[in-house]
């Protein structure tokens, strides 16, 4: 136990916690957009998987990591477009169509992986960027300022998303569409167009989330490598009460517990690893139970909009 | 309720065939992917068909795969009818199987038939617990059941990994240095009877009988009526004096119970032991997810789930043959299943449109004053 409390270990836990939050942040911030406008996109996991594969494949074959990221964004956007069409135009039940897209992404990424690569390969991922001055700070430097570009970008997105949602006309429209689509419609807001926008944007973010795993954090692609992280990201939106700052808090809490769990195994502390892995999930359920009953989400969440004749 | 569907057999036929169109469309999209991968789709699908129905044994394997799908989908029918979305089939299967396996490895002195019956009940209870918790969380703490059931899946997997490496580990494995996380094999008298020489077991028959029972439960009992009422219109159900919260919990609990039973049947009918590769699908074969596909395909009707489960069982079994014959990874079938789900829920709009059309005709001479439903919160006002 004393090992766990040493400074180097704590720094290690915090630094990897900050890093591990990256895919959750991208995916959950994107999901915040779509849920704010009233669309529950449960296909995040599938979008992440396909994004992870495409980013990896493009990066591996072209040698250009950024091309990989853009390819992932493109694929995420396409899947978002499909999700938007199905939920906005066809009024399909959101929770279930999301599961469909999850299965599609799971199957496709696996299929393409086996057909195009076949074996597990690695790419040289994004290098660490040491922020001049700040990275030399004792302790803080290593935790916060010695990460790769995808990590920094994820955190940078938090204030940006906050700004867009709370300080712009677009954000106001998204909010109106999610709370009361009928009223928004009568005020001249195009409900369908807003939802298309948020779901496609959410897809782009999920794609980046996948890319951040396959070419920035782990630098490999494996079958089903997201292993439920997309679903966690959706949960984090509820957890964060549909606010970017809350999402950030949730993502950090979850990934820090996860990092702790990894270190517990590394240090051979006699807690069964399975119990340790369970902790973040149990914690999420408990926090959801404690918070969701008080916080109300967008009123029109999961409800298709139909213009009254 | 008035029988508004009577006489409109053509519309009903089209409605009934919607999932078939959805599947054909999904297979068509799959064919495009195959072409892009430079595989002849006809050849691939022929191999798939042959692997699923080409011989007695192939057919038996299809039915073996269909059995857990059918059981899970029965539970899905119940919960979705109650407007509770259960994504937790994987975890519920695992917990049901764990409880059933523990029972079979503990009470080794009891007669075979008794242990089998007890194990099936244990599976039912294990799944019910795992489904009931999200039900309680939804009804009393407003935790979205989609999320909690997904979390419960992850927890169940870890529970399985832990128990199979620790308390339930095969004693002979425990002695070896390389500990494979698996339980001991069940005694032979505890195994569900098989139709030799195939692997088709009694579980298939149990599943079909239960499908009929679930049909009766949903449409011929008060319990089923109330679950469906809550699902159709929570406010109206509340107005009618139904304890909405109780039926929310109950529909998820029952849903989990059938998945748990599927887990128990999988152990007692097919594997005779539990073994883990660290993921859920290693044990369940993703039946917990695919059961949702089956239930949707069968339009949430337990009896239609029977042919639907055979179809998807066939896809899964055939996928392996396809993989060997034309080198297309069986993952293609997962992707196609996903598309089937998307297309089926997307085609709902046509059904609803026609239904509204018919309702409009039926209601022309009927003055109805529906309850003002917008203002009551079902969870708050139900005590």
């Amino acid at each position: 136990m004393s090992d766990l409390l040493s400074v180097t270990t704590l720094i290690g836990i915090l630094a990897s916690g900050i890093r591990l939050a990256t895919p959750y942040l991208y995916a959950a911030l994107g999901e915040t957009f779509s849920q704010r406008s009233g669309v529950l996109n449960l296909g995040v996991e599938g979008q992440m998987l396909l994004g992870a594969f495409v980013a990896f494949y493009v990066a591996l074959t072209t040698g250009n990591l950024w091309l990989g990221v853009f390819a992932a964004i493109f694929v995420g956007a396409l899947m978002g477009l499909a999700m938007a069409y199905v939920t906005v135009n066809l009024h399909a039940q959101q929770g279930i169509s999301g599961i469909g897209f999850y299965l599609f992404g799971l199957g496709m990424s696996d299929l393409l992986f086996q057909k195009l690569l076949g074996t597990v390969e690695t790419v040289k991922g994004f290098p660490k960027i040491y922020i001049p001055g700040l990275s030399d700070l004792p302790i803080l430097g290593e935790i916060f300022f010695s990460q790769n570009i995808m990590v920094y970008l994820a955190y940078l997105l938090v204030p940006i998303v906050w700004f867009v949602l709370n300080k712009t006309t677009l954000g106001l429209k998204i909010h109106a569409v999610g709370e009361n689509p009928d009223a928004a419609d009568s005020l001249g807001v195009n409900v369908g167009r807003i939802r298309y926008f948020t779901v496609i944007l959410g897809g782009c973010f999920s794609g980046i989330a996948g890319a951040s795993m396959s070419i920035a954090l782990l630098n490999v692609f494996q079958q089903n490598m997201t292993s439920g992280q997309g679903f966690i990201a959706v949960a984090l939106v509820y957890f964060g009460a549909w606010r970017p700052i809350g999402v950030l808090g949730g993502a950090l809490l979850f990934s820090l517990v996860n990092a702790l769990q990894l270190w517990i195994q590394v240090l051979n502390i006699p807690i069964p690893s399975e119990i340790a892995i369970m902790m973040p999930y149990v914690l999420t359920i408990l926090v959801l139970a404690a918070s969701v009953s008080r916080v109300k989400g967008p009123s029109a969440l999961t409800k298709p909009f139909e213009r009254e004749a | 309720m008035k029988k508004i569907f009577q006489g409109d057999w053509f519309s009903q036929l089209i409605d009934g065939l919607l999932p078939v169109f959805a599947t054909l469309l999904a297979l068509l999209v799959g064919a495009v992917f195959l072409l892009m991968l430079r595989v002849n789709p006809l050849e691939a699908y022929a191999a798939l068909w042959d692997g699923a129905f080409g011989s007695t044994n192939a057919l038996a394997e299809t039915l073996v795969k269909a059995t857990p799908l059918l059981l899970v989908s029965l539970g899905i029918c119940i919960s979705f009818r109650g407007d509770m979305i259960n994504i937790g089939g994987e975890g519920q299967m695992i917990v049901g199987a764990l409880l059933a396996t523990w029972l079979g490895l503990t009470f080794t002195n009891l007669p075979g038939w008794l242990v089998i019956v007890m194990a099936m009940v244990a599976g039912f209870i294990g799944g019910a617990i795992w489904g009931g918790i999200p039900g309680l969380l939804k009804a009393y703490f407003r935790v979205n059941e989609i999320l909690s059931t997904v979390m419960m899946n992850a927890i169940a997997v870890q529970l399985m990994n832990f128990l199979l490496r620790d308390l339930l580990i095969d004693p002979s494995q425990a002695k070896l240095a390389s500990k494979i996380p698996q339980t001991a094999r069940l005694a032979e008298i505890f195994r569900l009877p098989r139709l030799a020489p195939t692997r088709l077991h009694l579980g298939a028959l149990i599943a079909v009988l239960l499908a009929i029972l679930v049909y009766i439960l949903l449409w011929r009992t008060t319990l089923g009526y109330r679950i469906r009422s809550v699902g159709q219109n929570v406010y109206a159900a509340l107005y009618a004096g139904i304890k909405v919260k109780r039926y929310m919990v109950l529909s998820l609990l029952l849903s989990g119970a059938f998945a748990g039973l599927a887990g128990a049947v999988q152990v007692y009918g097919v594997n005779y032991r539990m073994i883990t590769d660290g993921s859920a699908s290693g044990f369940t074969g993703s039946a917990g997810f695919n059961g949702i596909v089956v239930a949707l395909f069968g339009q949430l009707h337990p009896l239609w789930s029977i042919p639907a489960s055979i179809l998807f069982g066939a896809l899964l079994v055939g996928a392996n043959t396809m993989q060997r014959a034309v080198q297309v990874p069986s993952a293609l079938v997962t992707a196609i299943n996903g598309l089937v789900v998307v297309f089926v829920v997307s085609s709902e709009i046509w059904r609803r449109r026609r239904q509204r059309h018919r309702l409009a005709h039926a209601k022309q001479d009927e003055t109805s004053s529906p309850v003002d439903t917008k203002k009551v919160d079902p969870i708050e006002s139900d005590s």
Side-chain angles (χ1 to χ4, degrees), chain A residues 237-248:
Chain A
V237 179
Y238 284 78
F239 186 105
W242 296 271
R243 292 172 307 146
I245 191 78
V247 166
L248 172 68

Side-chain angles (χ1 to χ4, degrees), chain A residues 123-176:
Chain A
V123 289
K124 213 160 159 253
F126 286 102
K128 277 188 182 180
I129 298 176
Y130 298 94
I131 298 197
L134 293 174
S135 63
D136 298 328
L137 291 172
I139 301 178
L140 290 180
E142 195 171 330
I143 296 173
F144 295 109
F145 303 109
S146 309
Q147 309 277 7
N148 68 55
I149 181 84
M150 295 294 277
V151 180
Y152 292 127
L153 281 178
Y155 286 87
L156 199 63
L157 269 176
V158 178
I160 295 175
V161 171
W162 175 85
F163 183 82
V164 172
L165 283 176
N166 295 301
K167 298 288 164 194
T168 64
T169 326
L170 177 67
L172 205 64
K173 284 181 182 168
I174 292 174
H175 190 73

Side-chain angles (χ1 to χ4, degrees), chain A residues 1 36 43 49 64-65 72 82 104 113 131 142 156-157 177 198 201 220 225 256 263 277 283-284 294 301 304:
Chain A
M1 208 61 191
R36 275 272 190 122
L49 274 169
N64 188 329
L65 292 168
F104 176 75
F113 169 70
I131 298 197
E142 195 171 330
L156 199 63
L157 269 176
V177 166
T198 57
L201 189 67
V220 293
M225 72 183 294
L256 281 173
W263 279 87
I277 300 172
L283 190 74
T284 309
R294 273 179 276 112
L301 188 58

Side-chain angles (χ1 to χ4, degrees), chain B residues 7-339:
Chain B
D8 207 352
W9 64 271
F10 183 73
S11 264
Q12 260 187 301
L13 183 71
I14 299 285
D15 283 352
L17 287 178
L18 280 178
V20 180
F21 295 141
T23 310
L24 290 177
L25 195 57
L27 286 173
L28 205 65
V29 176
V32 174
F33 291 139
L34 286 171
L35 282 173
M36 290 190 326
L37 293 169
R38 300 207 175 101
V39 176
N40 181 350
L42 288 177
E43 215 177 304
Y45 287 152
L48 196 146
W49 175 267
D50 196 47
F53 300 111
S55 65
T56 318
N57 197 51
L59 184 63
E61 283 300 310
T62 294
L63 296 178
V64 167
K65 268 271 194 269
T67 302
L69 293 178
L70 176 55
L71 285 168
V72 173
S73 79
L74 294 179
I76 299 293
C77 287
I78 297 173
S79 61
F80 280 24
R81 288 271 173 192
D83 201 24
M84 299 289 270
I85 297 184
N86 178 14
I87 313 286
E90 297 276 286
Q92 292 147 7
M93 271 184 84
I94 287 172
V95 174
L98 281 171
L99 211 56
T101 309
W102 167 78
L103 202 129
L105 295 175
T106 309
F107 298 96
T108 44
N109 295 324
L110 296 178
W113 65 269
L114 182 61
V115 169
I116 290 179
V117 172
M118 279 164 62
M120 295 303 121
V121 174
F124 203 75
I125 292 172
I129 293 171
W130 224 243
I133 294 172
L136 286 170
L137 288 169
K138 164 84 171 189
Y140 296 97
F141 296 93
R142 290 164 173 262
V143 176
N144 184 308
E145 79 278 15
I146 299 176
L147 302 172
S148 54
T149 48
V150 167
M151 301 282 155
M152 294 294 280
N153 283 345
I155 296 171
V157 172
Q158 295 310 321
L159 190 68
M160 166 176 73
N161 292 350
F162 174 65
L163 289 175
L164 263 49
R165 281 204 324 165
D166 204 295
L167 295 173
L168 286 179
I169 193 171
D170 183 354
S172 67
Q173 284 297 330
K175 277 184 213 138
L176 298 167
S178 65
K179 291 184 184 174
I180 298 173
Q182 63 179 20
T183 66
R185 273 172 173 271
L186 293 170
E188 266 185 55
I189 50 157
F190 293 166
R191 299 171 184 179
L192 287 172
R194 272 181 178 174
L195 191 68
T198 70
R199 297 203 304 161
L200 183 61
H201 56 85
L202 191 63
L205 188 62
I206 295 176
V208 171
L209 291 176
L210 286 174
I212 298 167
L213 265 178
V214 171
Y215 169 73
I216 294 170
L217 171 90
L218 278 174
W219 278 281
R220 297 281 182 273
T221 67
T222 326
L223 175 67
Y225 170 75
R226 289 188 173 156
I227 287 177
R228 286 187 298 122
S229 308
V230 173
Q232 266 165 6
N233 189 339
V234 99
Y235 305 101
L238 207 59
Y239 186 74
I242 294 173
K243 298 233 179 280
V244 167
K245 282 187 186 179
R246 186 182 302 171
Y247 288 93
M248 284 173 135
V249 179
L250 210 57
S251 67
L252 260 186
L253 183 144
L254 275 176
S255 187
F258 279 95
L261 182 63
V265 165
Q266 204 57 12
V267 173
Y268 281 71
V270 183
N271 304 326
Y272 304 141
R273 69 161 27 133
M274 281 188 84
I275 181 163
T276 177
D277 65 352
S279 74
S281 54
F283 167 69
T284 64
S286 296
F289 268 116
N290 290 328
I292 303 174
V293 187
V294 169
L296 284 174
F297 190 90
Q299 310 196 352
L300 302 183
H301 194 296
L303 297 180
W304 280 114
S305 279
I306 301 171
S309 66
I310 295 173
L311 173 73
F312 285 95
L315 279 176
L316 293 172
V317 173
N320 294 326
T321 314
M322 182 185 69
Q323 182 159 3
R324 282 191 301 272
V326 289
Q327 283 81 46
V328 177
S330 55
L332 174 71
V333 167
T334 309
I336 288 179
N337 276 359
L339 288 178

Side-chain angles (χ1 to χ4, degrees), chain A residues 19 22 51 65 75 78 98 104 111 115-116 150 172 186 189 198 204 217 219 231 245 256 277 286 293 301 307:
Chain A
R19 197 168 53 243
T22 310
L65 292 168
V75 164
L78 276 185
F104 176 75
L111 173 71
K115 258 328 224 192
L116 299 175
M150 295 294 277
L172 205 64
S186 65
V189 178
T198 57
C204 296
L217 293 179
N219 303 338
F231 289 108
I245 191 78
L256 281 173
I277 300 172
L286 290 178
S293 55
L301 188 58
R307 211 168 188 169

